[in-house]
Amino acid sequence: ISDKESKVFYQKVMFAYKINGIDLNKQEAKKLKTLRDRNRILESEFAKNIAENIPILDFEESELDGLPKDLIDSNKQKDGKIKIKLVSSNLVSIITQCNVRESREKAAKASGEYAKPLNKKVAIEFLKNSREIAQLCGFNNYSELAMATKMIENPAEATNFIETLKDSSQERLTKEIQAIKKIKLQTGDKSKLSKTDKSYYGERLVEKLSGVK
């Protein structure tokens, strides 16, 4: 192979063979397939644990001040309580529109924690398998394997890229946080800025700048 394009193509084909275990002996190739098959099962289990265990929270109507009336009415029970399932659309509505900080924090906490007990064991096994897969394919870890076929090429380059983005966006981010804090103070809330505050008051900042609510 003499021309550059053919060499590049050849290298890509050979690399694809490598990461699919073409250089391995039968025992290693069988182990690689077993690990990959198991990880596909774990991926499905991880997603299933999330989809089938989405929490449903109880609220008084007063605790959901600011939310759209149709969202409240569609989830109102006979006893007057509001039961809301934290699917992504409902979660976003609560965090960005609910005027009651305690309700925003309650929803955020429940959403962030409900699948952890179920998926901790799944994640640990998946990561362990991924490391073994990478090592069988001749890499030190799975991040090296995952990035080897990407434009970024390796974890070191990815880290450098992230640091560059971080440095270039830091000034703008600082200004946005200061603007959000200012709007929060204008409401009389002097508490420490939380993650949900950033989303809620960030939405108020967008409304102020755009003039649209």
Side-chain angles (χ1 to χ4, degrees):
I1 302 175
S2 56
D3 61 285
K4 183 179 179 180
E5 289 79 9
S6 296
K7 284 182 178 179
V8 171
F9 178 73
Y10 174 77
Q11 288 170 354
K12 287 185 176 180
V13 170
M14 295 308 295
F15 184 77
Y17 284 146
K18 176 185 176 181
I19 63 177
N20 281 289
I22 199 69
D23 294 333
L24 302 178
N25 59 46
K26 288 184 178 181
Q27 184 177 355
E28 290 172 332
K30 182 178 180 181
K31 183 177 182 181
L32 179 64
K33 183 180 185 303
T34 299
L35 288 168
R36 283 181 164 157
D37 288 345
R38 177 58 181 163
N39 267 10
R40 280 190 281 271
I41 293 172
L42 291 172
E43 286 175 348
S44 297
E45 186 177 339
F46 191 95
K48 181 181 178 182
N49 286 340
I50 293 174
E52 294 184 352
N53 294 279
I54 298 173
I56 298 175
L57 299 184
D58 290 348
F59 294 96
E60 299 291 344
E61 187 167 350
S62 60
E63 295 176 317
L64 297 174
D65 179 53
L67 259 61
K69 188 175 185 299
D70 60 341
L71 176 59
I72 293 176
D73 289 345
S74 63
N75 290 283
K76 185 177 288 187
Q77 309 301 303
K78 292 182 179 180
D79 60 3
K81 285 189 177 294
I82 316 298
K83 287 184 177 291
I84 297 185
K85 188 173 185 178
L86 290 185
V87 295
S88 58
S89 57
N90 290 342
L91 178 64
V92 170
S93 292
I94 293 172
I95 290 178
T96 61
Q97 299 180 55
C98 182
N99 296 327
V100 183
R101 188 187 193 211
E102 291 75 13
S103 297
R104 299 196 302 267
E105 298 292 339
K106 176 182 176 180
K109 182 178 180 181
S111 175
E113 294 182 351
Y114 75 92
K116 283 183 180 179
L118 294 168
N119 278 336
K120 182 178 179 180
K121 185 178 179 180
V122 174
I124 290 173
E125 183 182 350
F126 182 90
L127 292 172
K128 179 178 178 294
N129 291 347
S130 297
R131 183 176 60 186
E132 288 191 56
I133 289 169
Q135 291 173 344
L136 280 169
C137 292
F139 295 87
N140 292 315
N141 53 62
Y142 193 76
S143 61
E144 288 185 2
L145 170 59
M147 294 181 190
T149 57
K150 306 294 190 297
M151 186 180 295
I152 201 69
E153 293 187 346
N154 58 66
E157 289 298 323
T159 300
N160 290 336
F161 179 66
I162 292 170
E163 288 300 322
T164 300
L165 288 180
K166 180 181 175 181
D167 292 341
S168 63
S169 62
Q170 189 62 47
E171 182 178 352
R172 179 176 178 180
L173 177 62
T174 300
K175 288 181 179 179
E176 288 182 359
I177 292 297
Q178 291 303 320
I180 289 172
K181 286 182 176 179
K182 184 177 180 180
I183 287 182
K184 182 179 179 182
L185 283 173
Q186 289 172 351
T187 68
D189 188 346
K190 298 181 180 180
S191 62
K192 184 178 179 180
L193 192 71
S194 68
K195 289 183 179 180
T196 61
D197 283 343
K198 292 175 186 176
S199 299
Y200 175 76
Y201 290 105
E203 193 73 10
R204 307 291 79 74
L205 177 61
V206 170
E207 291 173 353
K208 181 179 179 180
L209 295 176
S210 65
V212 178
K213 291 187 176 182

